Every structure is written in structure tokens, then in C-alpha cells.
Amino acid sequence: MLILGVIFCMTSLLMFISFHYIDAGVASTLIFVYPVMVAIIMAVCFRERITLLTCGSIVLSLGGIALLYHGDGETLNTTGVLLVMLAAFFNALYIIVINRTKLNIPAVKMTFYVSVVSIFMVYAHSLTGENQQIQWLTTPAMWGYALFMAFVPTVLALVMMAVAIRDIGSTPTAIMGALEPVSAVMIGVLMFGEKFTLQIMFGIILIMASVLVIILAKNRIEKNKEDGQVPPAAQG
């Protein structure tokens, strides 16, 4: 649980730090390469077979990243891109650790312990800043933003995701989750005046397509396994 907590917190911390270097919409799109990273790690470390669909997904993802990297006519900050890539890697690692260790613990309880570890990590990170102290919430606006972040995109999102997985299955839920980059870019454009160009649009389309291909390919393999149509050597 301690290792999971560290991995989970690193994903969030690196993602938030990257916002200082690149637009939030682009960062939130780049991090969606993590399904590709999952496929690569599983193939290299656990010898799972990489299918043609997986290879196609990797090509689409890299093409989308290339478009985003020059999406506004200027090269994105390299530090910001590297931070997002590290965040995506830790996110992929978090998923793999849970999958391979087969923890026999309820999801809510596991999330609680992981969050407790994250609290201490965030506190330790706060000591490395210029002020070396926690920024206390001193105004109603600060409390409002903090409560919104805690309940809407965190607690409420996790609960609704759990309900969605139970009602419609993991694959449709994951596919709908691939719409997150679109939401992030639209919020960035409409509320924060971030640039939106044709290149960024095509980059988003390619990355989303790569995610959908990976998810659908995995779903097809699992379905074939249930039907007994996939030999053991080709599973995964």
C-alpha cells in the first residue's frame, strides 16, 4: 500500500507541476499515452504479446504527440512534456501494480490508504518550495476551490466511475473516459484563453484514437479468451 501510495501521488504531483510549463489542456491530453505505456511494459516485463492493433495504437499516439508538440506554432517546453510523460508512466505503473499483485482489498479501502500516503508526500513536497510551508486556506474563495477539487473531480468522479463500471462495464467506461482530453482542452480554451489550432485538434484526435484502439483490442482479446478462441501463447 505504501508503494501504491507513492506511485499514485507521483502521478498527481508531476501532472500539477507540469502546468507551470505547458497548457493544462495539452498536458491533460499528453498524459493519455499511459495505456500505450501499459501495453509496452506488460510486453517487456511480463511477455504479453503485442498485436498489430497495439502497434497501430502506438503509432497513432506518437503522431498525436508530435502534432501537439508544435501545435501552436511554437515548440512546447521540454521540461513540461517530460513531466507529463513521467506522470503518465507512474499512472501506467499504478495500474500494472494493482493488476499484477491482485490485492484482495475493497477499492474504497485501498483508495483511502493510498490517499493517506499521498497526504504525507504532498506535505513533504510543500517543504521543498520557496516558502517551505503549507499555504493555508485563508479566504472563502480558497476554501471553495479546495472543497470543489476534493469532492467534484476526486470523490464524486471516483464514485461515478465505480458505478459506471458496475452498470455498463469497464470497457465502455474507459472509452468514455478517453473524452477527458476534449473536456480539458475546451475548458482551457473557454475559461483560460488557451490557444486552439487545427494541429492541436488533429493531435487530440490521434491520441484519442490510439487509446480507443488499445481498449477495444484488449476487450476483443478478453472476449475471445472467454469464448476459448485465443491460444495461451497469444493471450494478453
Side-chain angles (χ1 to χ4, degrees), residues 155-224:
V155 175
L156 185 60
L158 292 175
V159 171
M160 294 179 71
M161 180 181 294
V163 173
I165 292 173
R166 182 189 62 195
D167 290 345
I168 66 175
S170 58
T171 298
T173 301
I175 292 174
M176 295 302 294
L179 296 176
E180 180 180 336
V182 178
S183 303
V185 170
M186 295 308 299
I187 292 173
V189 171
L190 296 177
M191 298 185 63
F192 302 108
E194 295 180 357
K195 295 181 180 179
F196 185 79
T197 65
L198 285 176
Q199 281 185 275
I200 288 180
M201 181 183 71
F202 287 125
I204 291 173
I205 291 173
L206 288 179
I207 290 177
M208 290 180 62
S210 73
V211 173
L212 294 180
V213 168
I214 269 273
I215 294 172
L216 293 175
K218 186 68 174 177
N219 182 60
R220 189 180 70 175
I221 291 175
E222 291 177 353
K223 186 178 185 300
N224 289 337

Side-chain angles (χ1 to χ4, degrees), residues 26-45:
V26 176
S28 298
T29 302
L30 288 176
I31 199 171
F32 260 79
V33 301
Y34 75 84
V36 177
M37 292 184 177
V38 170
I40 294 175
I41 294 173
M42 293 299 289
V44 173
C45 299

Side-chain angles (χ1 to χ4, degrees), residues 102-135:
K102 295 180 173 59
L103 293 172
N104 187 21
I105 181 174
V108 174
K109 185 180 294 186
M110 181 184 69
T111 302
F112 170 77
Y113 288 121
V114 166
S115 300
V116 170
V117 175
S118 298
I119 290 175
F120 289 100
M121 284 196 63
V122 170
Y123 175 73
H125 171 70
S126 71
L127 299 179
T128 64
E130 296 180 358
N131 297 325
Q132 294 188 343
Q133 62 182 3
I134 292 289
Q135 181 180 354

Side-chain angles (χ1 to χ4, degrees), residues 50-58 210 213-214 216-217 220:
I50 296 184
T51 64
L52 289 176
L53 286 176
T54 302
C55 293
S57 175
I58 293 173
S210 73
V213 168
I214 269 273
L216 293 175
R220 189 180 70 175

